[in-house]
Amino acid sequence: MNPVSVRVLLVRGMLAGLVAGLLALVVAYLLGEPRVDAAIDFEEAHSHDHGVELVSRSLQSTAGLATGVLVYGVALGGIAALAFCVALGRIGRFGPRATALMVSMGSLLAVYVVPFLKYPANPPSVGDPDTITKRTTLYFLMIALSVLLGIAAVILGKRLAPRLGNWYATVVASAALVLVIGLAYAFLPAVNEVPKDFPATVLWQFRLAALAIQCTLWAAFGLLFGHLAERVLTPRTAPDRQSGTATRPAAPVN
């Protein structure tokens, strides 16, 4: 792929990430913010140490939320676009749309779902402030392991395909991936700092909302970027050839 196409796809990836971020922002505001408010109410009711609020809650839930989600969407859109450029034509004979959707869904699994199952998202008031560095390190370690293992599984499947065929190579590579991730789950330390009296309904609704935000972001990105990438890599014909046949000049009259 030439550098011009990569640059164009990068820009379109960031644009698709911005649009996907807008959709994820709507989900975050409608599903996530009410659970955050409920968690904050729990914290205020059970804590006697009320610090000074540097940023108002109304600003956090509007401009702060929008800035965070949109910047996140644009950044991940650019990274995913570069991953698409690497994957196109190397993971099978898939077109731009299918490749974009596969990269998007694979990124969702590797970057969010697999780490989420080990270290799920927690609302405010959950977690010991003294362990935040440890928890953050473990979470990013799980992301790194998930991404590297996912890439290794793809490479393994490609190398096994000539001997086992695509179907069995995919099954073996997927089974190996699940096995190694299971071992990582078993050996990495668990983190469970949810207060005993914290409402279970609020906790699970918050986690489901966090998952819904990520699913919305990556699904929207995959569909939109696939459309934009296909237009770049397989441009349409001229308007006078949209019917599939060129317009021939009239024969001269003798």
Side-chain angles (χ1 to χ4, degrees):
M1 186 177 295
N2 62 70
V4 175
S5 297
V6 173
R7 184 167 58 251
V8 171
L9 288 171
L10 175 62
V11 173
R12 279 158 175 74
M14 296 173 70
L15 177 61
L18 177 62
V19 176
L22 288 171
L23 296 176
L25 176 61
V26 174
V27 177
Y29 186 79
L30 296 178
L31 297 182
E33 286 304 305
R35 280 73 197 180
V36 173
D37 289 335
I40 292 175
D41 292 340
F42 172 86
E43 183 180 24
E44 291 178 347
H46 292 77
S47 176
H48 301 288
D49 182 16
H50 301 289
V52 179
E53 189 178 46
L54 299 178
V55 181
S56 66
R57 174 63 190 143
S58 60
L59 184 61
Q60 293 176 15
S61 61
T62 53
L65 177 66
T67 301
V69 174
L70 295 181
V71 170
Y72 181 78
V74 172
L76 289 186
I79 295 172
L82 295 178
F84 167 86
C85 295
V86 175
L88 186 63
R90 293 183 174 90
I91 58 174
R93 296 182 179 180
F94 300 104
R97 287 188 180 183
T99 302
L101 195 57
M102 291 177 66
V103 169
S104 181
M105 294 300 100
S107 299
L108 171 64
L109 290 173
V111 176
Y112 190 78
V113 174
V114 171
F116 175 86
L117 294 176
K118 176 63 178 178
Y119 301 114
N122 287 324
S125 76
V126 173
D128 183 357
D130 295 334
T131 64
I132 187 170
T133 301
K134 175 185 176 182
R135 287 185 281 120
T136 303
T137 301
L138 288 173
Y139 183 75
F140 280 103
L141 175 60
M142 192 68 239
I143 292 177
L145 285 174
S146 178
V147 172
L148 293 175
L149 291 174
I151 295 174
V154 172
I155 296 174
L156 177 63
K158 291 281 290 183
R159 292 189 175 182
L160 292 177
R163 288 183 292 173
L164 302 180
N166 290 333
W167 173 258
Y168 289 108
T170 302
V171 170
V172 172
S174 300
L177 176 62
V178 171
L179 175 62
V180 178
I181 288 177
L183 292 174
Y185 281 1
F187 285 102
L188 286 176
V191 176
N192 185 13
E193 299 179 352
V194 180
K196 293 182 179 179
D197 54 348
F198 190 88
T201 302
V202 174
L203 177 64
W204 283 106
Q205 286 179 344
F206 177 86
R207 289 176 175 177
L208 289 176
L211 184 60
I213 293 168
Q214 293 292 328
C215 289
T216 301
L217 176 69
W218 285 108
F221 170 80
L223 293 173
L224 178 58
F225 179 68
H227 171 72
L228 296 177
E230 186 172 44
R231 293 187 62 179
V232 171
L233 299 174
T234 56
R236 295 179 180 179
T237 56
D240 61 338
R241 296 184 180 181
Q242 288 183 353
S243 60
T245 57
T247 303
R248 296 184 179 182
V253 179
N254 294 327

